Amino acid sequence: MNPITHIRARTAVLAHENIDTDRIIPARFLTTTERAGLGRYAFNDWRYAADGRENPAFELNKPAARACEILVAGRNFGCGSSREHAPWALLDYGIRAVLSSEIADIFRNNALKNGLLAVVLSESEHRYLLAHPGIELAIDVAAQTIELPDGGRFGFQLDAFAKHCLLAGVDQLGFLLAHNDAIERFERRRGEAA
Amino acid sequence: MAARTLLDKLWDAHVVKAATASTPGILYVDLHLIHEVTSPQAFAELRARGLNVRCPERTLATLDHSTPTAPFDDLGQPVYASEEAAAQVAELEKNCAQFGIRLNGWNSDHRGIVHVIGPELGATQPGMTIVCGDSHTSTHGAFGALAFGIGTTEVGHVLATQCLLQQKPKSLAIHVDGELPANCSAKDLVLHIIGQIGVNGGTGHVIEYRGRAIQALSMEQRMTVCNMSIEAGARAGLIAPDQVTYDYLRERPYAPRGEDWDKAVRYWNSLASDADAKYDRVVHVDASRVRPTVTYGTHPGMVVALDAAVPAPASLQERRALEYMQVEAGKPLAGTAVDVVFVGSCTNSRLSDLRDAAAVLRGRSLAPRVRMLVVPGSLAIKHEAEREGLDQVFRAAGAEWREPGCSMCIAMNGDLAKPGQLVVSTSNRNFEGRQGPGARTVLASPAVAAASAVAGCVADPQSLLQEQAA
Ligand code: SF4
């Protein structure tokens, strides 16, 4: 994983609430055994009409939303299934950060593990971003801040360990593997108690 | 020691290393369930790093999500919806063989939906931590196990280390008092609860279902309730183990035996929340107010009693949902024309669910043009239902009696509805397109689903059941 320290990009807004992972990538595309290349299925059933052509009415298909790398989404983004294909598809599509007033637990975990910054903002901050699509934001992961074009600044919470992993570009399996002794001790302790 | 909740006790018993200010806790996993869809990339990661599966004996695999449920071909082979699906299954077979993992594959008598076979085999036990790359792992919480869904990266973590990095969730007690009316099922109850607390009502929490109405439920009903905890945003649901739990588990293939059983029960009895334990949040639900309930929108919190008027949309989203569903506010959903009926999924595919549906269908036929799929949750359930003659009831009515699997719950194995079709489904998600692009889903209990198949429109089973009794 590459370190992620700053993201400077424009926002695209999908204001729908409760955007579930079936929306982000429909289940029929989960028969893959790869994690690469899922971006073409991101938001598939919104993005394309039944005949396979792009749906011009879909927000992310509009010219202004092209190449936007920060997604501002309605409340409770990523609810539903635990499929990690959802963050994989978003990253492959070109999204680097998701901002909402509420993000579903499993999706947020999955996203951060893959270097997709998933950030929860206050209601008022969220409302502001929903109302201003296309603005350029500068996200500073170390400082845990989002800078607006007018100089305004939002702070955000980020789990200390997830932050460390993002900044250092390390994944969490290495951390777990380094605790093999503690895992063995736990197994022995339980074996004796049984 | 301070009074502890069931969640506290389960958590404390599995902490390998406590969380610090800068690192999450390390939690040990007792049982890891895997299936073909969310595991291939995890095994690939293991191989890329030259790692082994740490505890193959704590890992149990099945085929369910992308496997066909249609009858086998003339050569006795499954007919996959796509080459990719076949390749995905072959990949799991290869991975299990290479790493020594038990696979309930095509030749097993216990192949079935991952959340159905765990309990059925007695692999799911109170006091355990159980994870699976599937959000409905919450089902196993019905046994007093801490069970939750994980992503594929985490599947890799558990394969390699038998552990997960976790922050302890908050606790939400849902007290369900009063008596569930006789014409209501666990599905009606849990839909009612999600309607009450909302699809994000449980976010960040583990729900413990408590109270008289919960204790009165059978194990299969408890599983239906815990199954849908994720639909309220909670990662897990829990019910304290009791005699009902033990009666279900005793003598199952993986359940402890003899002295080990007695010892296990003594431990399991110590798990219930202490009387004065504190929860982060408490919600009260009156079971006596539950009525047969269905969803009318495009998330599981948009619920309404079958005979009550669909509420007016309160937001733009809700208005869009009604448009998508072609449902009119101010009118009850009962009477809406139905195209497809699906009885199955890890929510409602167990023997008691099939019995509920069969009780309504017995001696009746499907309405013209209605297609009905009945998909048992496991091969064992299929065989048991056939011994009882339930398959005959379904077939005689004109329904399809199929091989076990997830089927139309997730619609990735070729079982799906056409655009615009209305599906009354006993599964757990009514998201747009979940059962096929453009398909419209109404979530319901097995009895309501069966009644709707007979009537050709969303219908209450009550009058049909009364006729039968008369
Ligand atoms: S039946 Fe549906 S919810 Fe259950 S495991 Fe299968 S796909 Fe998931």
Side-chain angles (χ1 to χ4, degrees), chain B residues 73 139 183 228 239 253 388:
Chain B
D73 69 9
T139 313
N183 66 340
M228 290 197 71
I239 295 175
E388 288 186 15

Side-chain angles (χ1 to χ4, degrees), chain A residues 15-18 20-23 26-28 30-35 45-46 59 75-76 79-85 88 102-106 109-110 113-114 159-161 171-177 179-180 182-184 186-187 189-190 193-194, chain B residues 13-17 21-24 26 28 30 37 40-41 45 49 51 54-55 58 66 84-85 88 91 133-135 149-154 157 160-161 163 165 167 199-200 203-204 230 233 235 263 299 317 320 410-412 429 431-432 434 437:
Chain A
H16 305 249
E17 292 178 2
N18 305 309
D20 55 78
T21 53
D22 278 87
R23 252 325 68 206
R28 59 186 187 282
L30 306 188
T31 47
T32 175
T33 53
E34 308 285 325
R35 58 172 90 197
D45 293 351
W46 267 340
E59 283 86 339
R75 190 178 56 96
N76 199 26
C79 60
S81 102
S82 61
R83 64 189 69 158
E84 202 159 315
H85 310 69
W88 293 339
E102 198 173 313
I103 298 179
D105 290 336
I106 305 181
N109 276 328
N110 284 338
K113 284 192 173 58
N114 286 279
D159 167 72
F161 186 67
D171 71 19
Q172 306 183 355
L173 181 53
F175 178 84
L176 271 172
L177 287 167
H179 284 82
N180 192 42
I183 301 171
E184 277 180 359
F186 177 88
E187 286 176 332
R189 198 165 70 229
R190 281 228 311 196
Chain B
H14 292 89
V15 174
V16 170
K17 185 173 174 291
S22 56
T23 55
I26 299 181
Y28 196 79
D30 292 320
V37 174
Q41 296 88 348
E45 184 74 20
R49 293 185 180 222
L51 295 168
R54 184 186 176 92
C55 303
R58 292 189 179 278
S66 57
E84 271 197 318
Q88 205 172 44
E91 184 75 16
D134 187 284
S135 58
I150 56 178
T152 297
T153 299
E154 290 175 312
H157 292 179
T161 68
C163 288
L165 293 168
Q167 300 287 359
V199 282
N200 53 353
T203 305
I230 181 76
R235 278 189 81 179
K263 203 169 142 195
H299 69 62
Q317 251 81 45
R320 281 198 192 137
I410 188 162
M412 62 178 291
R429 287 189 173 138
F431 300 146
E432 274 183 41
R434 169 87 175 181

Side-chain angles (χ1 to χ4, degrees), chain B residues 264-318:
Chain B
V265 170
R266 271 198 300 281
Y267 173 57
W268 296 343
N269 274 327
S270 74
L271 291 171
S273 295
D274 299 329
D276 41 357
K278 293 261 179 307
Y279 295 85
D280 293 299
R281 256 177 75 209
V282 178
V283 168
H284 287 270
V285 172
D286 181 357
S288 67
R289 299 183 52 171
V290 176
R291 285 186 284 158
T293 299
V294 291
T295 59
Y296 64 88
T298 53
H299 69 62
M302 299 178 79
V303 302
V304 67
L306 202 52
D307 53 356
V310 169
S315 66
L316 179 65
Q317 251 81 45
E318 287 188 8

Side-chain angles (χ1 to χ4, degrees), chain B residues 125-187:
Chain B
Q125 293 167 21
M128 283 184 161
T129 43
I130 302 177
V131 301
C132 174
D134 187 284
S135 58
H136 291 95
T137 309
S138 60
T139 313
H140 308 262
F143 290 79
L146 178 59
F148 52 89
I150 56 178
T152 297
T153 299
E154 290 175 312
V155 170
H157 292 179
V158 181
L159 288 174
T161 68
Q162 205 56 34
C163 288
L164 276 176
L165 293 168
Q166 288 290 303
Q167 300 287 359
K168 189 174 173 185
K170 290 190 266 204
S171 57
L172 164 60
I174 299 191
H175 279 273
V176 190
D177 291 314
E179 208 173 310
L180 194 62
N183 66 340
C184 289
S185 69
K187 183 64 161 290

